[in-house]
Amino acid sequence: MNPQWFDLPEVPAKPFFTRQEAVELVGVPERLLRQWEREFAVGHPRGRTRRFFRRSEILLLRRIRRLLLGEGRSHDEVRQLLGLSALADEAVSEQLASWCGALAEVEHALAAVVRYLNAVLEKTPTQQP
């Protein structure tokens, strides 16, 4: 398996993505993305003229990309795999990993705030009644 199939940018934690954002996040040309939308019933029109993708759809398209291009599976095999809960499990796992990373960042920021507040308290003279 070629490692370049996994070298994609992280999917931001936002609800919807434009087609251009989807192209960049999935790492395939727009024509191929459109083909996969039709073939694998991914993405639906949301709005009058523009199509938007949910985060879960981006993750699903990335999985399709990995299966087809990275692992060399056939379209029929991918269709069969799409019926399995493993895809949902992988999307949930990726979401949890993303949340864990965000939580670690929050914990780090809170620790910095606590250190700052402790330093301020140490420098503040105490008042005697």
Side-chain angles (χ1 to χ4, degrees):
M1 214 175 313
N2 192 335
Q4 75 176 351
W5 298 117
F6 300 99
D7 191 22
L8 295 171
E10 186 174 330
V11 180
K14 64 181 204 175
F16 296 104
F17 299 88
T18 65
R19 177 173 301 284
Q20 185 56 42
E21 289 173 319
V23 164
E24 293 169 9
L25 290 168
V26 177
V28 296
E30 186 173 348
R31 63 175 175 72
L32 189 54
L33 187 72
R34 287 180 187 272
Q35 177 186 342
W36 290 353
E37 282 181 84
R38 288 187 304 273
E39 186 170 348
F40 298 105
V42 177
H44 302 285
R46 290 178 187 84
R48 292 184 174 196
T49 59
R50 298 181 70 186
R51 292 175 79 86
F52 292 93
F53 296 83
R54 291 184 184 105
R55 188 174 195 283
S56 61
E57 292 168 335
I58 297 294
L59 295 173
L60 178 59
L61 286 163
R62 287 167 70 129
R63 172 70 189 243
I64 291 170
R65 176 185 189 259
R66 184 170 65 89
L67 291 169
L68 288 174
L69 304 177
E71 296 180 13
R73 294 187 184 252
S74 72
H75 287 239
D76 287 335
E77 287 176 312
V78 172
R79 273 190 219 92
Q80 288 176 352
L81 288 171
L82 290 177
L84 300 177
S85 64
L87 287 173
D89 292 344
E90 184 171 308
V92 168
S93 294
E94 285 190 33
Q95 182 65 52
L96 286 174
S98 173
W99 289 343
C100 287
L103 182 58
E105 290 178 25
V106 169
E107 288 173 338
H108 180 72
L110 286 174
V113 168
V114 168
R115 285 192 303 274
Y116 172 77
L117 290 174
N118 284 335
V120 168
L121 288 174
E122 288 175 7
K123 293 180 183 178
T124 304
T126 58
Q127 294 182 349
Q128 298 288 331

